[in-house]
Amino acid sequence: AQSVTQLDSHVSVSEGTPVLLRCNYSSSYSPSLFWYVQHPNKGLQLLLKYTSAATLVKGINGFEAEFKKSETSFHLTKPSAHMSDAAEYFCVVSLNRDDKIIFGKGTRLHILP
Amino acid sequence: NAGVMQNPRHLVRRRGQEARLRCSPMKGHSHVYWYRQLPEEGLKFMVYLQKENIIDESGMPKERFSAEFPKEGPSILRIQQVVRGDSAAYFCASSATGIDGYGYTFGSGTRLTVV
C-alpha cells in the first residue's frame, strides 16, 4: 500500500535557525514527490517537486528537499527560518501509474522570535 | 490567467440542506481533483474528473456526495442532506495532463460549515 508519513505534527524553531520537516513515503512504483505550503485562509502553494531528475531539489523561498530512495525519505529543509515561514506544510506523493496523489497529515511550523 | 477559482469561499448550511461547491479549473486544464481537509487531518482525495467523465471516485463517500465536470461550466461537488461531520475545507485542483509533476494547481478552497 502507498502511504506518506510526516513524522512531526508540529515543529518549532527560532527565527534564523535551520528548518527540518520530515517526510517518509511508501510506494510500489517510482513516485513523484512534492511539498506544499498552506498559509492560513489561503490555498496550497507548491514549494518544490521531485520527478526523477536531480535528487536535491531547490524550491521557492529558500526551501530545498533531498530524495533518498534508500531511506524512502523526502525531507524539507531551509538554512534559516523566517517569521513568514510559519504555516502548514504537506508532503505529497504522486503515483504516476494511476494519477492518484496521497497527502501527508501536515506539519505545522511555528517560528519563535 | 486567473488560476483555479473556487466559490463560494465560505458556505454555511443547516443540517439537511444541500451544499454545492464550484471549481473552475485553470484555462486549458481538463483534469479536476477534489480534496477534503478535515480538522486535524491532512488533505484526503475524493474524486478525479476529466471533462464529462469521472475517472476515480474511490475517495467519495458512498452516499450523499456526487461530483460532475460538464462539457461547459465549472466542476460541481454536491453534498445532499449535509450533516455536521461534513464541515471541512474542500479544495479543488486542476492540471493539464494529470498529476505527473506538470501544472498541478490548487484553488483557495471552500470552507463548509454545517450548523
Side-chain angles (χ1 to χ4, degrees):
Chain A
Q2 287 76 27
S3 66
V4 178
T5 303
Q6 290 185 242
L7 295 152
D8 307 293
S9 58
H10 294 268
V11 169
S12 296
V13 302
S14 297
E15 190 175 19
T17 63
V19 175
L20 170 64
L21 304 183
R22 298 182 292 169
C23 174
N24 287 91
Y25 70 94
S26 170
S27 174
S28 303
Y29 315 109
S30 296
S32 294
L33 296 158
F34 307 77
W35 275 99
Y36 286 86
V37 60
Q38 184 184 14
H39 287 94
N41 297 314
K42 294 190 176 180
L44 294 173
Q45 179 184 17
L46 178 65
L47 279 178
L48 48 80
K49 59 189 177 187
Y50 164 77
T51 56
S52 75
T55 56
L56 181 61
V57 181
K58 293 188 184 297
I60 63 172
N61 300 337
F63 284 94
E64 60 183 39
E66 186 172 5
F67 173 67
K68 293 186 177 180
K69 188 174 181 179
S70 61
E71 299 176 8
T72 61
S73 69
F74 191 57
H75 301 334
L76 182 71
T77 60
K78 182 173 180 177
S80 177
H82 191 273
M83 293 301 289
S84 62
D85 295 328
E88 185 132 21
Y89 292 80
F90 291 92
C91 179
V92 177
V93 172
S94 163
L95 306 174
N96 299 324
R97 179 183 173 90
D98 60 6
D99 273 357
K100 188 177 293 185
I101 69 174
I102 300 173
F103 281 79
K105 290 195 171 185
T107 298
R108 186 71 58 85
L109 177 62
H110 306 270
I111 310 297
L112 307 173
Chain B
N1 195 336
V4 177
M5 303 300 292
Q6 287 189 249
N7 64 82
R9 291 293 302 274
H10 300 276
L11 181 62
V12 179
R13 284 287 178 267
R14 296 183 185 280
R15 282 178 294 172
Q17 291 184 320
E18 179 180 283
R20 281 182 177 246
L21 288 63
R22 296 176 186 76
C23 170
S24 296
M26 286 185 68
K27 187 177 181 180
H29 285 190
S30 59
H31 300 242
V32 167
Y33 309 77
W34 284 94
Y35 292 84
R36 177 166 61 175
Q37 182 180 19
L38 294 166
E40 307 303 320
E41 296 187 22
L43 286 170
K44 292 189 182 298
F45 168 79
M46 299 182 74
V47 62
Y48 165 33
L49 310 104
Q50 292 182 23
K51 282 286 188 182
E52 300 184 276
N53 290 304
I54 296 175
I55 307 302
D56 182 353
E57 56 181 347
S58 58
M60 289 280 271
K62 294 287 187 285
E63 297 176 348
R64 302 187 297 107
F65 284 72
S66 62
E68 62 178 12
F69 189 16
K71 188 176 180 181
E72 301 290 338
S75 176
I76 305 289
L77 179 67
R78 181 182 178 205
I79 311 172
Q80 295 177 292
Q81 299 175 333
V82 296
V83 300
R84 287 239 171 92
D86 297 332
S87 295
Y90 293 82
F91 287 88
C92 164
S94 74
S95 71
T97 60
I99 181 63
D100 56 359
Y102 297 95
Y104 193 79
T105 305
F106 274 92
S108 295
T110 293
R111 281 152 185 84
L112 172 65
T113 302
V114 179
V115 298

